[in-house]
Amino acid sequence: MEKILVTRSSMPSFEEYCEEIKKLWDSRWLTNGGVEHIELQKKLEEYLGCEHAVLFTNGHLALEYVIAAMGFERGSEVITTPFTFASTTHAIVRNGLVPVFCDVREDNYTIDPGKIEALITEKTVALVPVHVYGNMCDTARIAEIANKHGLKVIYDAAHAFGVKYRGVSSACFGDASMFSFHATKVFNTIEGGAVCFSDDALVDKLNCMKNFGQTGVDAVGFVGGNAKMSEFQAAMGICNLRHLSDEIAKRKAVVERYFAALDGVNGIKLCRPDASTEHNYAYLPVVFDAYRLSRDEVFDALSEQGITARKYFYPLTNSFECYRDLPTAGADKTPVASYYADRVLTLPLYADLSMDDVDRITDIILNKE
Ligand code: T4K
């Protein structure tokens, strides 16, 4: 029986990619903002409906750099959630800032706006909420809180590429939004990422910072590093963008097949995209709560049949060993996030997952003795 992994990269045909990269053999211009990079950036700004998109070699560095660009004083506090990939918390800590963990909403796993204000102190400078699994945060309430307390809002939108909330693109909220274009994402550039925003002053700053802080041939204006997207990555993005709407439609069909089998089953909770969201079907989280099998038993039953689901996001980042000594650490401080981390499993989901395979997966979940 063929193995099924939690996801599978979307790719254009081999010929389409070769055609796209042919010009790189003529120009020998492989990175540092070449023609592919310029074209992808423009296309993404159009697709995402944002004023500016600055491309990065991966989503993590995009987040790390945009936080750095805000120029927060070291030791300042940033309110975020622990129900996310390691990257979100690491990006805050690697900037010398202190993550303060807010619990998540019961309905869609994003930051609970009702719990943010109690965590704000005189050291708080920003909020880094996560549109987890492509589920949008309550952007309106977050904006209200941020305005009231003079805080920046930087969204980790790694999962939310192509999502629209009340008709507005996920790239248009807060001071900036970071997208991941990793191989496992709905839209990929192999590795890659972007920061989207409307503040003109941030364009040059981020572009310089990701290129060693150089502001000119003989000038270095910022403490920077190297986080540039290469021409080969950008070329993959240009190709993949052509097929994106098709990819999302296929993912939607897969998700609907899962829902048809699992929705309403006692002990199984699904998170249906709410009516105000145009979703990208990035992940399929399923919560096993008092089901006849525990989350871990379902995981094992699938593994025995060569099917790899993933426990995204377990463990919570506030219980990572490396954050044990943080004053804000401890999964017990975020009980809703903790509840989900212990019960959620993300099932295999990708555009060309066959309906037969979906049926095989749901059959194991429903009928395993
Ligand atoms: N913020 C959030 C909320 C994030 O979820 C992420 C990344 C980031 C920030 C940072 O963005 P990036 O710097 O990554 O752009 C994977 C991804 O590596 C990571 O991008 C993603 N989130 C995270 C949720 O998942 P792993 O360690 O689980 O990946 P791995 O290697 O186990 O791959 C998962 C499955 O994907 C494999 O079983 C098969 C499939 N796969 C994998 C690769 C590498 C492919 O089909 N093709 C591939 O090339 O982290």
Side-chain angles (χ1 to χ4, degrees):
M1 193 77 69
E2 218 184 301
K3 288 192 170 173
I4 303 175
L5 300 175
V6 70
T7 195
R8 193 158 178 249
S9 297
S10 304
M11 292 175 85
S13 71
F14 181 64
E15 292 72 24
E16 185 179 348
Y17 186 61
C18 288
E19 190 54 38
E20 192 62 45
I21 59 174
K22 239 187 207 160
K23 58 191 99 153
L24 306 179
W25 263 260
D26 299 329
S27 68
R28 301 286 161 128
W29 190 274
L30 308 184
T31 184
N32 290 18
V35 290
E36 297 293 295
H37 184 287
I38 292 167
E39 184 179 338
L40 179 63
Q41 184 198 317
K42 269 202 206 119
K43 290 208 149 92
L44 288 176
E45 285 168 351
E46 268 164 41
Y47 176 81
L48 292 168
C50 61
E51 305 245 338
H52 305 292
V54 173
L55 309 187
F56 282 84
T57 193
N58 59 55
H60 174 78
L61 286 175
L63 186 59
E64 226 180 271
Y65 277 62
V66 69
I67 294 172
M70 299 287 166
F72 302 127
E73 199 178 313
R74 289 180 87 77
S76 300
E77 293 174 1
V78 174
I79 298 174
T80 185
T81 67
F83 192 70
T84 183
F85 194 52
S87 170
T88 318
T89 307
H90 289 339
I92 295 166
V93 174
R94 286 170 58 82
N95 272 295
L97 304 166
V98 180
V100 174
F101 299 101
C102 183
D103 212 349
V104 299
R105 283 160 54 179
E106 283 186 21
D107 60 344
N108 80 351
Y109 327 108
T110 63
I111 197 163
D112 184 342
K115 294 181 181 163
I116 294 175
E117 283 194 285
L119 299 171
I120 295 175
T121 70
E122 71 283 357
K123 286 189 169 176
T124 311
V125 289
L127 307 176
V128 176
V130 184
H131 300 309
V132 69
Y133 306 133
N135 295 338
M136 292 293 293
C137 298
D138 186 343
T139 50
R141 285 198 58 201
I142 289 169
E144 253 173 53
I145 296 167
N147 289 339
K148 181 173 159 195
H149 296 273
L151 307 175
K152 296 278 186 197
V153 181
I154 301 157
Y155 281 103
D156 179 333
H159 299 178
F161 187 84
V163 175
K164 283 191 179 158
Y165 184 52
R166 295 184 178 144
V168 180
S169 160
S170 57
C172 299
F173 296 101
D175 294 281
S177 296
M178 176 281 288
F179 294 93
S180 162
F181 306 150
H182 182 259
T184 54
K185 296 294 188 282
V186 169
F187 165 74
N188 85 75
T189 60
I190 310 172
E191 290 271 4
V195 178
C196 298
F197 50 90
S198 56
D199 178 4
D200 297 340
L202 212 48
V203 180
D204 285 347
K205 194 167 187 185
L206 283 174
N207 277 323
C208 290
M209 284 174 70
K210 73 176 188 187
N211 189 18
F212 308 101
Q214 297 177 108
T215 42
V217 179
D218 298 319
V220 178
F222 299 101
V223 179
N226 182 359
K228 290 169 269 120
M229 179 181 280
S230 78
E231 290 291 277
F232 289 85
Q233 289 171 278
M236 183 61 98
I238 290 168
C239 294
N240 278 335
L241 202 54
R242 291 183 193 126
H243 306 285
L244 187 68
S245 58
D246 206 32
E247 289 284 317
I248 292 179
K250 286 182 181 164
R251 282 173 170 270
K252 183 176 183 200
V254 171
V255 167
E256 280 170 357
R257 187 77 161 205
Y258 272 121
F259 267 76
L262 300 177
D263 202 13
V265 174
N266 237 343
I268 292 184
K269 282 196 210 165
L270 300 168
C271 184
R272 192 175 279 288
D274 73 79
S276 49
T277 305
E278 203 175 298
H279 220 271
N280 63 359
Y281 305 94
Y283 291 86
L284 188 78
V286 179
V287 175
F288 296 92
D289 181 18
Y291 184 56
R292 56 184 191 83
L293 303 173
S294 69
R295 182 273 305 275
D296 291 354
E297 285 167 340
V298 174
F299 177 88
D300 291 342
L302 292 171
S303 295
E304 280 163 21
Q305 302 296 321
I307 298 161
T308 311
R310 291 296 287 269
K311 298 173 196 175
Y312 296 133
F313 289 98
Y314 169 86
L316 295 177
T317 69
N318 56 359
S319 62
F320 283 0
E321 201 187 328
C322 55
Y323 294 135
R324 219 174 22 203
D325 297 333
L326 270 181
T328 56
D332 53 320
K333 292 184 185 138
T334 51
V336 180
S338 198
Y339 165 91
Y340 283 124
D342 290 341
R343 289 169 182 79
V344 75
L345 197 59
T346 51
L347 299 180
L349 171 57
Y350 43 92
D352 54 0
L353 183 64
S354 74
M355 295 302 165
D356 284 350
D357 282 337
V358 175
D359 294 346
R360 188 153 76 87
I361 293 166
T362 54
D363 187 53
I364 294 168
I365 295 172
L366 296 173
N367 299 313
K368 164 82 182 165
E369 293 300 319

